[in-house]
């Protein structure tokens, strides 16, 4: 852990609008799992085991393909990166991306797209072989009608990212051809929606922060003669990632969030996994400092 990851200097106070600080990003990804329910096999199994057919289900994998497994795993990795780089925005799966992270995010997604397309083609090339082999592998469970053709399968494998700017309700261009009263009402409603979603962002950050902080305190809670609980080298990095997210996603320059960020930086500056392993004093001080921050979290506006 480098000390520079926890910068305690107060940033210059600026008051950007949310519209100028972030944008909404929507990730779409799809790789069919090629798993199918088999009611007939379920009934046969229920009879064999003297079970109620309603309580039994059988799901069969249509193909065995390393290329397919690799593509599905890569698709999950894309999703994990997307979740890590953004915060929730509303209840429809949209996410909010800080503008300071936009270039890095776009470059990463472009690189993912190139790799995704290449892996997709490898799988599509392998699919006819895997589909043919399925007849032997599935035996009497084989049903040719369940297997799409390559041309049918290809469009269902996709990956895209949509970027949408956030409208500024204070802008004169936000409402067009509306009466003053209607425009004011819509402005108020939209402002209420933004406030509610910003509260959701703060709550999300709190939940994301509480887990690694609690884990840190738990893992370093042992003395010289006590049994070491053991922890990974990422134990401090996991907190640093959330601290970085706090800085990027404090769109309203909330002083409470900034104070919490500074407190964490002060508590963890100079703290390393090896240092924690080698010093009872450092473990005890870090535990006390972090526990105090945990105790204060509910009073910081969340």
């Amino acid at each position: 852990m480098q000390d520079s990851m926890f910068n305690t200097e107060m940033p210059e106070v600026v008051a950007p609008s949310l519209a100028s600080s972030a944008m909404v990003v929507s990730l779409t990804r799809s790789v069919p799992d090629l798993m199918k329910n088999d009611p007939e096999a379920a009934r046969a199994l229920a009879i064999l085991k003297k079970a109620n057919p309603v309580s039994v289900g059988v799901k069969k994998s249509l193909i065995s393909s390393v290329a397919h497994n690799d593509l599905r795993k890569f698709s999950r990795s894309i999703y994990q990166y997307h979740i890590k780089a953004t915060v929730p925005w509303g209840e429809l799966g949209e996410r909010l991306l800080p503008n300071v992270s936009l270039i890095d995010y776009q470059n990463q997604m472009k690189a993912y797209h190139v790799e995704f397309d290449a892996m997709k083609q490898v799988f599509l090339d392998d699919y006819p072989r895997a589909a043919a082999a399925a007849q032997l592998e599935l035996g009497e469970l084989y049903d040719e009608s369940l297997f799409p053709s390559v041309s049918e399968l290809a469009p269902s494998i996709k990956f895209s990212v949509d970027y949408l700017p956030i409208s500024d309700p204070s802008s004169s261009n936000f409402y067009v051809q509306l009466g003053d009263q209607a425009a004011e009402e819509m402005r108020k409603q939209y402002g209420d929606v933004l406030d509610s979603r910003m509260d959701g962002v703060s709550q999300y950050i709190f939940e994301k922060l509480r887990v690694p902080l609690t884990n840190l305190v738990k893992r370093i809670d042992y003395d010289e003669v006590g049994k070491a609980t053991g922890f990974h080298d990422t134990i401090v990095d996991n907190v640093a990632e959330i601290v970085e997210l706090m800085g990027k996603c404090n769109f309203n320059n909330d002083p409470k969030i900034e104070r919490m960020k500074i407190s964490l930086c002060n508590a963890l500056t100079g703290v390393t996994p090896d240092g924690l392993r080698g010093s009872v004093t450092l473990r005890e001080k870090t535990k006390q400092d972090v526990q105090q921050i945990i105790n204060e979290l509910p009073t910081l506006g969340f």
Side-chain angles (χ1 to χ4, degrees):
M1 168 63 58
Q2 300 295 322
D3 291 356
S4 59
M5 294 190 70
F6 292 100
N7 183 6
T8 60
E9 295 182 2
M10 289 292 291
E12 180 182 355
V13 177
V14 185
S17 67
L18 178 61
S20 67
S21 302
M23 65 171 48
V24 177
V25 289
S26 298
L27 171 66
T28 300
R29 62 188 182 93
S30 174
V31 180
D33 62 7
L34 296 176
M35 301 282 291
K36 295 292 182 180
N37 290 319
D38 193 327
E40 183 178 342
R43 285 193 295 271
L45 178 61
I47 292 172
L48 179 64
K49 295 297 184 180
K50 297 180 176 59
N52 185 342
V54 177
S55 303
V56 177
V58 171
K59 201 167 188 179
K60 61 188 178 186
S61 178
L62 297 183
I63 64 170
S64 176
S65 168
V66 173
H68 180 235
N69 292 337
D70 288 346
L71 182 59
R72 295 190 66 206
K73 181 178 179 180
F74 185 63
S75 177
R76 291 192 293 270
S77 296
I78 295 173
Y79 175 76
Q80 290 165 359
Y81 170 79
H82 172 69
I83 294 299
K84 188 175 181 180
T86 60
V87 293
W89 190 244
E91 300 178 355
L92 300 178
E94 294 176 326
R95 308 280 295 187
L96 203 62
L97 174 71
N99 283 348
V100 294
S101 303
L102 178 60
I103 299 301
D104 289 341
Y105 179 89
Q106 287 180 321
N107 288 340
Q108 183 62 71
M109 285 300 180
K110 288 176 182 177
Y112 280 153
H113 215 298
V114 172
E115 190 169 357
F116 184 89
D117 287 345
M119 295 178 70
K120 172 181 176 179
Q121 190 57 55
V122 170
F123 167 54
L124 291 176
D125 290 343
D126 182 58
Y127 176 70
R129 176 210 61 79
Q135 189 166 3
L136 291 176
E137 294 171 352
L138 291 174
E140 294 183 0
L141 297 179
Y142 178 79
D143 182 351
E144 185 178 3
S145 66
L146 297 178
F147 291 80
S149 65
V150 172
S151 61
E152 292 170 333
L153 182 60
S156 66
I157 304 173
K158 51 193 174 184
F159 159 45
S160 64
V161 182
D162 294 325
Y163 301 87
L164 181 67
I166 299 175
S167 297
D168 186 349
S170 65
S171 170
S172 60
N173 297 324
F174 187 72
Y175 305 99
V176 180
Q177 296 180 347
L178 290 174
D180 291 343
Q181 182 175 351
E184 184 58 34
E185 181 63 25
M186 289 186 65
R187 183 179 288 109
K188 181 181 183 304
Q189 290 179 3
Y190 186 69
D192 291 343
V193 169
L194 290 183
D195 289 343
S196 176
R197 291 188 176 185
M198 282 304 304
D199 288 343
V201 170
S202 297
Q203 183 63 34
Y204 174 80
I205 292 174
F206 165 68
E207 294 297 336
K208 289 281 287 186
L209 183 61
R210 181 174 59 179
V211 173
L213 287 183
T214 302
N215 182 62
L216 176 61
V217 169
K218 178 180 178 181
R219 293 298 180 184
I220 65 175
D221 187 19
Y222 64 93
D223 57 26
E224 200 71 69
V225 297
K227 182 179 180 181
T229 56
F231 51 83
H232 298 293
D233 286 344
T234 56
I235 193 168
V236 182
D237 289 348
N238 291 338
V239 178
E241 289 179 356
I242 309 302
V243 171
E244 182 179 7
L245 186 68
M246 290 168 62
K248 291 179 178 179
C249 295
N250 188 11
F251 303 112
N252 292 341
N253 283 329
D254 187 334
K256 296 184 292 295
I257 294 179
E258 185 61 28
R259 283 199 299 271
M260 181 170 64
K261 175 175 172 284
I262 295 300
S263 295
L264 284 167
C265 290
N266 289 334
L268 296 177
T269 295
V271 176
T272 67
D274 286 342
L276 290 170
R277 293 186 182 101
S279 171
V280 175
T281 302
L282 181 60
R283 287 198 301 273
E284 185 61 28
K285 182 180 184 305
T286 302
K287 183 183 71 173
Q288 291 177 357
D289 290 344
V290 173
Q291 185 61 57
Q292 181 177 350
I293 293 172
I294 294 174
N295 294 341
E296 293 175 354
L297 282 175
T299 68
L300 293 175
F302 293 103

